[in-house]
Amino acid sequence: MHQVRLQIKGSDEARYSYSIDVQISAVLQYWSKPKNYPLFIRSVPVQNELKFHYTVHTSLDVVEEKISAVGKAMADQRELYLGLLYPTEDYKVYGYVTNSKVKFVIVVDSSNTSLRDNEIRSMFRKLHNSFTDVMCNPFYNPGDTIQSKAFDSIVSAMMVQAS
Amino acid sequence: MTPIEDTEVYKASVRDNMMRWQGNLRLHGSADWVIVVVETSDAKKKNKTNILPRSSLVDKIRNDFCNKQNDRCVVLSDPLKNSSRSQESWSAFLLKLRTLLLMSFTQNLGRFEEDMRTLREKRNQPGWSFCDYFMVQEELAFVFEMLQQFEDALLQYDELDALFTQYVLNFGAGDGANWLGSFCSPVKSWTGLLLRRPIDMEKRDGIQRGQASLLELRSYLFCRQCTLLIFLQRPWEVTQRALELLHNCVQELCLLEVSMLEGALDCWVFLSCLEVLHRIEGCCDQAQLEANVSHTVGLWAYATDKLKSLGYMCGLVSERGPLSLELNRTVDLLAGLGDEKAETVHSLQSPYKKLKEALSSVEAFERHYLELSHAAVEMYTAIGRMRSARLVGKSLAEFYMRKGDPEQAESFLQNALGSYVSEGWSLPVTHTRKQMAECQKLLGKTENYLQTSALLAGDANLTNEERIHFCQEILTFADQSTDSKAQKVALSMSYFAQLKQLQFRPATATVHSGTALQVELCLRSLMPVAVPLEQLAASVHFNLEQGETNGKTRGPQRRPYPGTVLFPLGNSSAMPPSAAVPSLELEEIQDRSPSDPRTLNSTGMVCKNTHLVMRRRDSSPSPDTPNLVSPVPVVMEDGAKMLMSGDVTLLPGNNSIVFSVPSQELGTYTLRQLCATVGQVQFVLPHISPLVQYEVYSQEPQLTVEPLTDQLLAGLPQRAKVRLQTGHYTVKKGDALQLTNIDSIPILTSSSCPATIFNSTAERVDESVLFIQSSDKVTSISLPPTPPYHTLEFQLEVLCVIPSDPVRPENQRLTNGEIHHRPRSYSHPDNHMTAINQRMSVDCPWSIYSTPISLTFYIPFKAKHSLLSAGNRKYIQVCLQNVSDVNFHLMDQRLTEKHHESSLELQSLNTKAHQLVCSKQSVYCVWDVRWKENMPVCLQCVFSASFSSASEEVSAFKPYHYEFQLERVTTLYSVRAEIMPAAGQQNCHSGSLCGLEMSITRLAEPDDDEEDDGGTEEKGQTETEEVCSTKLMYEVAGSSWVVYGRSSGLVSMPADANANHRVQVELMPLFAGHLPFPDIKVFKYLPPSANSASQPDTDSCVENGMLSLIDRPLDDQGDTASFCSQGSVHSVGSGEQQSRVLPMPRLEPFSPGQVFNHSQGCQVLVLPSTDDCVLEINAT
């Protein structure tokens, strides 16, 4: 599993600088099996990584719930963006599911107010595009953890931007 | 309300009153009024007489007051009467009243909102207070609420909420408003939400006074929102908003840096959660609650979480109970709660009571905490959020661990671990596993603990120190209690080390019994430190099945893998489970339309192993995966054969261990398990897959003789390679091969010949010398001592004598019609050399049976003879063809008559005594045959020559013999033909007739050899019937001639010598040119009686005789054309059968030397016919 962490600082004008935690992870539900193993997880900062993992893992519950709720109605024109999955005291968890049931989860620190719904949505879209590029790589074996440098750099750029 | 008698009264008093009232209204700035005039029918009647219609009371009032606003005056007629008119007027009145009221409200509220907005716009001015503004906007909300406009009321609160939130956020961004300072003051009270009252006046007062804390403001705001939402029948929004609120408050307090007693916020959140839940429970029935668990479960979990952290904070979770510091903290926290509110004093289950009770004692806390946790778990499970449920379960497990109750904790941990493992989340796996290890250690589940320790020791997510710690745990356990006889603990090898590669030496993995075979294992140790192994053992399953083929000899088999088995790499302990998922096997399919193969109907991908890929994976993981939650019992198979290697130290990373494999018993050995023993601990790899096998075989001694060249030539000394594969037999000194001699194939005995010994891998080991002794019956070859499974090779020189009798061609038809099979010789398919199979039998020392050995020799020559005649003179020609690929020297060709008749002389006409016969070429030799007296009927000749291979330096000439027999050599008749042009012509012309004159002359006296096969008996008959004349039949045929008239006929030749018979036949040439003479064939004509007499069967003789009598007239007619055709049918085999049915005269050809044709090869000039315009030119 590939994990890189990045510290993102708040803006300079702020009286207090908080660390803003953004965790981006793509979780693949491999074909239609009940498999939800991480393809790619990346988080800043380091100290709470374990908690992130637990959070992302738990958020899959809600993702699945949302998929199944929507899936019955209109599976075709489903909105990929699932919105805020659930808030916790510390994080906001957003979800996104591709048509092939690859799940993207972005976890943002609750204190980060600069990221609105639209920003998150565009982050997901970028992530999805980049993921599509990864899948197009003929040397990528579907289901393997993602080790693409391009994907990695896009995620990093997004996390820097999110600060 | 003024009773008005009539218009006059109105004018007098009421009008003034109304004017005053209007003035009052205007004074107060109110524009909302209406005048109601009540008419009764009585009054009307009364006025009917004297009042003019234009001046009714209503009109007057309207005139006076409602000049502009005509609608402000309403007439109500007969309100107490039940008439349609009355009702109409009532409804009109109410409608008007409502409209006016609404107008009024709209106007007023609009004005109010305008004021409010103005106030809000001032928010950036100094001195603006949120609390004041709050009161103003809340007033509006109250109005809406009173008007039952809950939606609008809620909107007001939401706006307030948003405004406040924005301020807090701005504050966080550095843009602090002064009024916010009051909210930053330390929080003294954390009573939680109070949702039972519609309006919490206490808090409202606080806000009004500007003394409310942030929590109080938030609480009040939410309380109002909650009330309105419940009015709106949206209880589930309450829960959702509550959760948001609570999270938000926590954030805001942090953002504003409000100082608060540690744990106070937890108390507030806990109380608030429960309060919301209670409120919701209060307004919904059970079924509704159950259906909407997903909305409430978040609150439950949050409350649980908070209670837990309170518990930890106040020392209620530890085994020892709270410390004094923690007790003080508890007291402080409880103080902040204040007194219980009046509404809930009497309820038993209020959140306040719960919290107070939970914080009061360890037991109570446990009870409450467990209650909440279980509720949360159950709810999560009910709505299928298994991961969340497991996370709560895990924190429950942590609680139990703190309480010193690992038994309870274990199952929760196992559940959680299983979920993480199956979904491949490595970090949670490691974390949970660590907790698991702790739990198992406390529980004393040694085996499980060791297993988990092994997993953790190899876990890359842990620090090296942690890994070493867990590794040491294993080693410590392994070292202790070595003397006890307790069962060793068996753990799965995959946690400990991975089998990466296995290599056989020799690579074939097939050895004969008794040979050394080595297996090299490559083990990758996952441990962070070097682990000394007492023993590394591989259990081997032995299978006799394949080894039992003792009877048949079997050589080393080639295995599909070249001695190295690579094991698929399982990843480290916490790998993604994709390793367990088989990779997709995809294949492209193209569906082409049947009519036109160039067009493609569809194309796609097909997964070939869907059954594997799509298999459900949520069932228990396969026992091989190292991620097992509970260890699968790993059992070492007993009674199996073991490969052992003692005292190995496994270093971290790859290690190479070599086993040497015993190979005494024959059979197939399968490596089944691998077991590493460290003191009391055994690491067992339960299955080795892919299958690893090696074979031990035994081989019978085997003797083969092969030609050294690709074919052995008969007649020349040839070398053959003898290969003796000893198999399991050891050749001792004195062992010898006994070859039974055959006359036709003598073994050229040199007294000794070199032999080479090879080992089983075809390496040259030794050389020695063989001794060959030969007696007249047996050749004995003494063998050098040779170890088993070696190969002894030596060369023997053999010579096959060429049989002198002419080998008849194959498939020759015998008289009985059967195909004659020659068992010992056949023709070589490539070069048509005649082959001779020679069989020898060899007696070997290891067997009582003799071994047959077959060698095939090829005769390099083919000989043909022919008899040539020139009148009476005879010549014998022998053609010797070299059919082999070798060039030969040939000398000393001789032809001898077997019986050495003195009268006969064979004079050689060959000039060269020494000749080279190249491959595929022939040599012709001719002899002149002269005889003095009577020519013998039968000449038995032997052609002999000496040959040697041209390539050989030292030419040892070997003899070649060819025997043949010539019969009926003497010339009996001579035929002479002459072609004469038509009368008066110089030459023959094509297309015109010419004559052929043929004269047949008898050269020799008719004697016995004239009709040899008829036998004497027949001859006697012939003489009596035909009176010393022989009937001959001639036949003229030629491809370029057309015979006019009869082409054949019978000629009766007198018996005296020089008797002549002339026949004339008319011919026509078909072409012009030098045409060869037509063929003239002469046959011996045997009449039917003579034929039947030749039958040996007496019955058929009689029968044939009778039939031949009937046949006779036909015979006399001499229809020779039919004879001719019949005669041609009369072949050797079938003639007799046919003659039995229809006795026919028989034609018998003369043997080649008996008729001499003088004009054979003569040509005659034929000119083209004069009128021919077309000249035909044949160019060949």
Side-chain angles (χ1 to χ4, degrees):
Chain A
M1 192 180 306
H2 195 68
Q3 288 172 1
V4 183
R5 290 143 170 284
L6 206 92
Q7 181 86 29
I8 302 177
K9 291 278 184 187
S11 62
D12 295 336
E13 302 147 51
R15 274 199 292 166
Y16 309 99
S17 72
Y18 335 94
S19 68
I20 298 169
D21 300 328
V22 181
Q23 189 187 32
I24 295 178
S25 69
V27 177
L28 178 67
Q29 186 176 23
Y30 198 41
W31 307 122
S32 56
K33 283 177 295 182
K35 278 278 170 194
N36 283 293
Y37 60 91
L39 284 180
F40 183 89
I41 295 192
R42 184 163 170 167
S43 61
V44 276
V46 193
Q47 60 262 26
N48 265 338
E49 189 177 10
L50 184 65
K51 196 173 172 186
F52 275 132
H53 282 238
Y54 280 127
T55 308
V56 174
H57 184 247
T58 316
S59 72
L60 294 177
D61 272 341
V62 190
V63 173
E64 281 180 353
E65 204 171 275
K66 291 208 175 192
I67 295 173
S68 63
V70 171
K72 282 164 202 156
M74 36 202 290
D76 296 337
Q77 308 126 5
R78 177 170 65 79
E79 167 76 71
L80 301 179
Y81 177 56
L82 298 177
L84 185 66
L85 296 179
Y86 68 91
T88 68
E89 199 174 295
D90 311 308
Y91 310 115
K92 287 180 202 145
V93 186
Y94 298 91
Y96 185 92
V97 177
T98 71
N99 284 322
S100 51
K101 301 282 186 289
V102 178
K103 296 156 190 164
F104 297 114
V105 174
I106 292 182
V107 181
V108 184
D109 195 305
S110 293
S111 57
N112 186 343
T113 50
S114 64
L115 289 174
R116 302 282 168 87
D117 213 44
N118 269 339
E119 280 92 33
I120 299 285
R121 201 183 277 260
S122 72
M123 277 168 83
F124 273 129
R125 207 158 293 141
K126 259 192 225 169
L127 210 57
H128 193 175
N129 285 341
S130 185
F131 178 74
T132 313
D133 291 345
V134 171
M135 293 299 283
C136 288
N137 179 359
F139 299 104
Y140 174 74
N141 201 359
D144 286 358
T145 53
I146 296 171
Q147 302 189 342
S148 153
K149 280 181 187 163
F151 189 77
D152 201 67
S153 66
I154 279 178
V155 172
S156 313
M158 219 146 47
M159 288 164 106
V160 170
Q161 219 172 31
S163 63
Chain B
M1 183 61 73
T2 317
I4 303 168
E5 293 304 316
D6 56 19
T7 327
E8 300 309 315
V9 181
Y10 163 73
K11 275 192 178 166
S13 62
V14 178
R15 191 177 166 199
D16 289 342
N17 281 342
M18 286 174 71
M19 291 292 259
R20 234 178 293 128
W21 172 63
Q22 286 259 307
N24 259 338
L25 281 178
R26 230 168 277 136
L27 205 66
H28 286 90
S30 167
D32 306 321
W33 51 270
V34 69
I35 297 170
V36 183
V37 181
V38 182
E39 282 185 340
T40 55
S41 51
D42 303 348
K44 259 197 178 159
K45 270 179 196 164
K46 216 176 172 181
N47 293 339
K48 236 179 195 174
T49 49
N50 54 359
I51 296 173
L52 291 172
R54 64 170 179 89
S55 58
S56 70
L57 190 60
V58 180
D59 293 334
K60 274 212 180 321
I61 295 173
R62 275 198 186 138
N63 240 350
D64 291 343
F65 300 102
C66 316
N67 284 333
K68 292 163 197 167
Q69 294 152 302
N70 210 8
D71 53 343
R72 289 293 171 100
C73 186
V74 186
V75 180
L76 204 59
S77 19
D78 291 335
L80 301 176
K81 279 190 181 170
N82 194 9
S83 69
S84 65
R85 184 182 158 83
S86 148
Q87 277 188 350
E88 224 169 81
S89 69
W90 265 115
S91 64
F93 165 67
L94 287 177
L95 189 74
K96 185 136 285 178
L97 188 67
R98 194 176 149 207
T99 320
L100 288 174
L101 273 175
L102 274 178
M103 268 171 63
S104 162
F105 269 115
T106 314
Q107 208 171 346
N108 282 318
L109 286 177
R111 208 182 303 142
F112 189 87
E113 274 181 65
E114 190 68 29
D115 293 345
M116 193 180 79
R117 225 167 283 136
T118 323
L119 188 60
R120 196 163 61 192
E121 290 310 313
K122 289 179 186 160
R123 64 184 183 272
N124 288 331
Q125 292 174 4
W128 188 83
S129 164
F130 177 78
C131 295
D132 296 345
Y133 175 72
F134 183 90
M135 287 303 148
V136 173
Q137 189 157 10
E138 194 188 20
E139 210 171 318
L140 183 63
F142 281 152
V143 173
F144 281 126
E145 191 182 343
M146 278 189 286
L147 292 173
Q148 304 284 305
Q149 298 301 307
F150 301 120
E151 201 77 52
D152 290 310
L154 184 62
L155 197 67
Q156 304 310 315
Y157 284 109
D158 287 348
E159 276 181 20
L160 282 172
D161 195 345
L163 186 66
F164 188 73
T165 308
Q166 194 55 50
Y167 266 104
V168 176
L169 290 179
N170 289 350
F171 183 84
D175 181 19
N178 287 333
W179 56 267
L180 214 52
S182 67
F183 291 105
C184 295
S185 57
V187 175
K188 299 276 185 343
S189 157
W190 37 88
T191 37
L193 294 176
L194 262 185
L195 303 178
R196 267 153 238 260
R197 303 175 194 170
I199 303 171
D200 188 348
M201 291 312 283
E202 260 177 66
K203 291 208 175 79
R204 189 162 192 274
D205 287 346
I207 296 167
Q208 208 160 14
R209 279 181 272 118
Q211 290 166 350
S213 68
L214 182 100
L215 283 186
E216 279 166 338
L217 176 74
R218 281 291 184 195
S219 300
Y220 178 73
L221 203 53
F222 183 74
C223 167
R224 295 296 304 141
Q225 287 170 328
C226 172
T227 312
L228 291 171
L229 281 171
I230 288 174
F231 278 140
L232 284 168
Q233 301 287 316
R234 276 143 64 177
W236 312 121
E237 205 176 325
V238 176
T239 57
Q240 191 196 331
R241 278 168 175 246
L243 208 52
E244 270 172 43
L245 166 88
L246 298 176
H247 292 145
N248 196 25
C249 282
V250 173
Q251 287 299 319
E252 285 180 347
L253 285 172
C254 166
L255 206 61
L256 296 177
E257 297 183 313
V258 176
S259 75
M260 227 176 154
L261 190 66
E262 195 191 352
L265 194 58
D266 295 333
C267 285
W268 184 76
V269 170
F270 175 78
L271 288 174
S272 303
C273 284
L274 289 192
E275 179 68 21
V276 173
L277 290 171
H278 273 268
R279 185 77 186 87
I280 297 301
E281 277 166 24
C283 70
C284 296
D285 56 21
Q286 195 62 31
Q288 259 180 309
L289 274 176
E290 272 169 23
N292 287 285
V293 167
S294 60
H295 294 104
T296 53
V297 68
L299 286 171
W300 282 106
Y302 200 22
T304 314
D305 201 32
K306 286 301 166 190
L307 185 62
K308 182 185 162 196
S309 70
L310 276 175
Y312 280 92
M313 212 178 290
C314 300
L316 296 168
V317 181
S318 67
E319 285 173 87
R320 300 175 307 279
L323 305 170
S324 63
L325 176 77
E326 291 161 342
L327 279 175
N328 281 341
R329 188 180 289 155
T330 314
V331 171
D332 288 345
L333 284 176
L334 288 176
L337 293 178
D339 294 327
E340 185 159 25
K341 295 288 176 291
E343 290 87 351
T344 58
V345 164
H346 302 295
S347 94
L348 292 170
Q349 280 286 309
S350 76
Y352 178 83
K353 284 205 184 78
K354 261 191 192 169
L355 181 60
K356 220 161 186 181
E357 199 184 318
L359 293 182
S360 63
S361 75
V362 175
E363 292 75 26
F365 172 79
E366 184 178 343
R367 186 159 51 79
H368 282 288
Y369 175 63
L370 291 184
E371 187 188 324
L372 275 176
S373 294
H374 285 298
V377 170
E378 270 169 34
M379 286 178 187
Y380 273 136
T381 316
I383 58 172
R385 293 195 187 178
M386 297 313 292
R387 296 179 187 85
S388 311
R390 288 194 183 119
L391 195 63
V392 176
K394 210 172 82 68
S395 80
L396 203 54
E398 280 161 26
F399 169 76
Y400 279 126
M401 289 299 291
R402 287 284 286 266
K403 295 287 287 178
D405 191 0
E407 279 162 48
Q408 299 273 1
E410 197 190 8
S411 66
F412 286 112
L413 285 176
Q414 259 178 12
N415 275 340
L417 185 57
S419 149
Y420 299 136
V421 163
S422 71
E423 297 185 351
W425 291 74
S426 71
L427 226 51
V429 163
T430 310
H431 180 240
T432 315
R433 204 170 264 160
K434 240 161 78 183
Q435 293 175 324
M436 192 78 176
E438 201 185 329
C439 173
Q440 286 165 341
K441 192 178 186 184
L442 285 175
L443 279 175
K445 290 191 173 177
T446 322
E447 198 169 319
N448 295 4
Y449 175 61
L450 291 176
Q451 198 116 2
T452 315
S453 295
L455 279 170
L456 286 167
D459 195 332
N461 281 330
L462 290 178
T463 61
N464 214 27
E465 289 75 33
E466 284 174 301
R467 291 177 60 183
I468 291 172
H469 162 75
F470 284 112
C471 188
Q472 279 303 327
E473 289 280 311
I474 302 171
L475 295 180
T476 319
F477 174 81
D479 288 341
Q480 62 177 293
S481 68
T482 35
D483 46 1
S484 73
K485 290 290 174 192
Q487 179 81 28
K488 290 191 176 188
V489 179
L491 301 176
S492 171
M493 165 87 79
S494 45
Y495 314 158
F496 170 75
Q498 290 168 341
L499 182 58
K500 285 187 76 179
Q501 186 183 319
L502 194 145
Q503 200 168 4
F504 280 108
R505 287 187 219 137
T508 48
T510 308
V511 290
H512 48 73
S513 64
T515 327
L517 177 68
Q518 281 189 329
V519 183
E520 184 181 341
L521 294 180
C522 182
L523 267 183
R524 183 166 147 241
S525 170
L526 300 171
M527 294 293 113
V529 291
V531 180
L533 297 184
E534 276 172 21
Q535 192 186 57
L536 186 69
S539 78
V540 174
H541 179 258
F542 172 63
N543 189 6
L544 250 181
E545 206 175 275
Q546 301 203 349
E548 274 179 345
T549 52
N550 284 344
K552 302 164 200 164
T553 49
R554 50 183 270 147
Q557 281 188 337
R558 292 276 163 259
R559 294 256 133 204
Y561 47 84
T564 306
V565 187
L566 285 175
F567 294 92
L569 271 190
N571 318 22
S572 60
S573 57
M575 26 104 280
S578 59
V581 180
S583 60
L584 294 177
E585 287 173 24
L586 294 175
E587 195 172 73
E588 188 186 352
I589 52 155
Q590 294 185 340
D591 175 23
R592 295 178 188 279
S593 79
S595 55
D596 184 6
R598 279 172 304 172
T599 51
L600 208 58
N601 277 348
S602 68
T603 182
M605 302 277 277
V606 171
C607 177
K608 283 164 72 187
N609 55 350
T610 34
H611 59 289
L612 292 175
V613 179
M614 302 295 282
R615 196 168 52 192
R616 281 180 68 88
R617 303 210 154 260
D618 50 354
S619 56
S620 65
S622 67
D624 285 334
T625 53
N627 301 309
L628 278 186
V629 179
S630 63
V632 160
V634 204
V635 188
M636 208 52 200
E637 282 171 16
D638 288 331
K641 287 172 185 280
M642 294 283 216
L643 308 179
M644 303 277 202
S645 177
D647 286 331
V648 184
T649 300
L650 278 189
L651 298 172
N654 290 346
N655 294 271
S656 166
I657 299 122
V658 178
F659 290 111
S660 50
V661 177
S663 55
Q664 298 308 323
E665 285 180 65
L666 311 182
T668 307
Y669 295 78
T670 312
L671 292 187
R672 282 279 177 86
Q673 294 184 321
L674 203 60
C675 173
T677 312
V678 188
Q680 286 300 100
V681 183
Q682 281 186 325
F683 292 99
V684 179
L685 184 65
H687 305 287
I688 297 179
S689 81
L691 202 65
V692 179
Q693 282 186 330
Y694 66 93
E695 266 176 53
V696 175
Y697 67 92
S698 162
Q699 196 184 20
E700 287 296 305
Q702 205 175 358
L703 183 72
T704 48
V705 181
E706 294 168 4
L708 207 60
T709 53
D710 57 342
Q711 54 199 15
L712 293 172
L713 293 177
L716 286 173
Q718 299 284 298
R719 285 184 169 275
K721 188 165 72 177
V722 180
R723 176 187 286 138
L724 172 63
Q725 285 172 311
T726 52
H728 61 78
Y729 180 79
T730 313
V731 179
K732 297 174 285 291
K733 196 169 165 64
D735 281 342
L737 296 176
Q738 310 279 342
L739 274 75
T740 317
N741 290 352
I742 311 171
D743 294 339
S744 60
I745 171 164
I747 294 190
L748 302 183
T749 51
S750 50
S751 63
S752 65
C753 78
T756 319
I757 300 170
F758 299 95
N759 68 7
S760 55
T761 51
E763 290 166 38
R764 181 184 289 251
V765 174
D766 195 10
E767 283 191 39
S768 76
V769 175
L770 295 175
F771 296 98
I772 302 175
Q773 289 175 325
S774 194
S775 66
D776 48 343
K777 284 205 166 173
V778 164
T779 305
S780 157
I781 304 167
S782 63
L783 300 172
T786 313
Y789 298 103
H790 279 57
T791 306
L792 180 71
E793 278 186 9
F794 57 90
Q795 292 182 0
L796 274 184
E797 203 161 55
V798 288
L799 178 76
C800 175
V801 177
I802 301 176
S804 54
D805 56 321
V807 177
R808 282 191 276 173
E810 249 182 292
N811 292 352
Q812 190 182 14
R813 275 187 175 273
L814 296 182
T815 43
N816 56 3
E818 279 180 13
I819 294 173
H820 177 69
H821 292 286
R822 209 157 253 281
R824 282 176 58 199
S825 69
Y826 54 90
S827 198
H828 193 276
D830 293 335
N831 49 18
H832 310 290
M833 284 198 281
T834 311
I836 307 162
N837 255 343
Q838 294 287 9
R839 287 173 194 276
M840 292 185 285
S841 73
V842 183
D843 288 325
C844 305
W846 54 82
S847 170
I848 54 165
Y849 304 106
S850 52
T851 311
I853 282 172
S854 161
L855 282 175
T856 306
F857 292 89
Y858 295 93
I859 302 173
F861 295 110
K862 235 179 206 176
K864 278 186 289 188
H865 66 274
S866 51
L867 180 71
L868 308 173
S869 312
N872 279 328
R873 296 181 69 176
K874 296 288 169 184
Y875 302 91
I876 296 173
Q877 177 189 276
V878 175
C879 167
L880 188 69
Q881 190 187 1
N882 177 5
V883 282
S884 75
D885 296 328
V886 189
N887 300 339
F888 288 107
H889 287 297
L890 199 67
M891 61 177 273
D892 211 9
Q893 302 99 309
R894 264 179 305 186
L895 190 69
T896 47
E897 215 282 310
K898 249 190 176 174
H899 304 295
H900 300 287
E901 292 210 19
S902 53
S903 63
L904 198 72
E905 191 188 340
L906 292 168
Q907 191 178 351
S908 171
L909 301 177
N910 307 311
T911 48
K912 279 187 179 172
H914 193 277
Q915 263 181 312
L916 178 71
V917 196
C918 292
S919 166
K920 314 287 185 212
Q921 290 190 340
S922 306
V923 165
Y924 292 89
C925 308
V926 181
W927 281 268
D928 189 358
V929 186
R930 298 184 181 188
W931 62 95
K932 288 170 186 156
E933 295 162 17
N934 280 341
M935 182 71 172
V937 177
C938 181
L939 281 179
Q940 286 191 320
C941 304
V942 178
F943 170 78
S944 62
S946 301
F947 68 97
S948 73
S949 172
S951 57
E952 273 180 42
E953 296 287 319
V954 185
S955 49
F957 283 88
K958 298 290 166 188
Y960 175 76
H961 296 284
Y962 173 59
E963 276 183 34
F964 59 95
Q965 186 171 325
L966 289 172
E967 286 168 348
R968 288 170 287 179
V969 179
T970 328
T971 310
L972 296 178
Y973 301 97
S974 78
V975 177
R976 199 182 291 269
E978 208 174 328
I979 291 181
M980 287 162 297
Q985 299 257 341
Q986 197 75 33
N987 284 308
C988 297
H989 285 270
S990 65
S992 58
L993 287 175
C994 46
L996 171 80
E997 192 176 280
M998 170 169 65
S999 88
I1000 303 171
T1001 315
R1002 183 191 283 273
L1003 293 179
E1005 295 279 329
D1007 52 12
D1008 285 353
D1009 50 286
E1010 184 188 341
E1011 297 168 21
D1012 52 15
D1013 63 335
T1016 50
E1017 196 182 348
E1018 182 207 355
K1019 198 198 81 182
Q1021 281 184 355
T1022 313
E1023 278 178 357
T1024 51
E1025 279 184 31
E1026 303 291 327
V1027 197
C1028 292
S1029 73
T1030 313
K1031 279 197 174 173
L1032 296 177
M1033 203 187 94
Y1034 66 88
E1035 191 186 2
V1036 180
S1039 58
S1040 39
W1041 299 91
V1042 174
V1043 182
Y1044 269 69
R1046 299 204 307 195
S1047 63
S1048 56
L1050 277 178
V1051 171
S1052 184
M1053 286 301 287
D1056 20 309
N1058 296 326
N1060 196 345
H1061 196 98
R1062 285 177 179 276
V1063 178
Q1064 283 197 335
V1065 177
E1066 287 207 312
L1067 292 172
M1068 187 175 73
L1070 292 174
F1071 313 107
H1074 285 284
L1075 293 185
F1077 274 38
D1079 287 337
I1080 299 164
K1081 288 178 193 156
V1082 179
F1083 301 96
K1084 206 184 289 177
Y1085 179 81
L1086 301 176
S1089 57
N1091 188 15
S1092 64
S1094 70
Q1095 291 284 123
D1097 191 349
T1098 47
D1099 284 346
S1100 65
C1101 178
V1102 171
E1103 194 180 54
N1104 284 341
M1106 286 163 70
L1107 283 168
S1108 63
L1109 282 173
I1110 301 164
D1111 204 36
R1112 181 62 43 98
L1114 185 136
D1115 188 15
D1116 281 343
Q1117 277 178 358
D1119 191 356
T1120 49
S1122 75
F1123 289 163
C1124 186
S1125 65
Q1126 286 292 338
S1128 66
V1129 169
H1130 279 205
S1131 64
V1132 182
S1134 57
E1136 284 147 354
Q1137 274 189 334
Q1138 280 207 339
S1139 67
R1140 191 184 299 167
V1141 180
L1142 182 70
M1144 295 295 280
R1146 202 153 58 98
L1147 287 178
E1148 192 174 276
F1150 286 103
S1151 34
Q1154 286 182 307
V1155 177
F1156 179 71
N1157 195 345
H1158 282 279
S1159 49
Q1160 179 138 37
C1162 286
Q1163 290 182 333
V1164 64
L1165 179 68
V1166 178
L1167 293 178
S1169 60
T1170 43
D1171 54 342
D1172 259 354
C1173 304
V1174 181
L1175 181 67
E1176 214 173 298
I1177 299 171
N1178 284 338
T1180 52

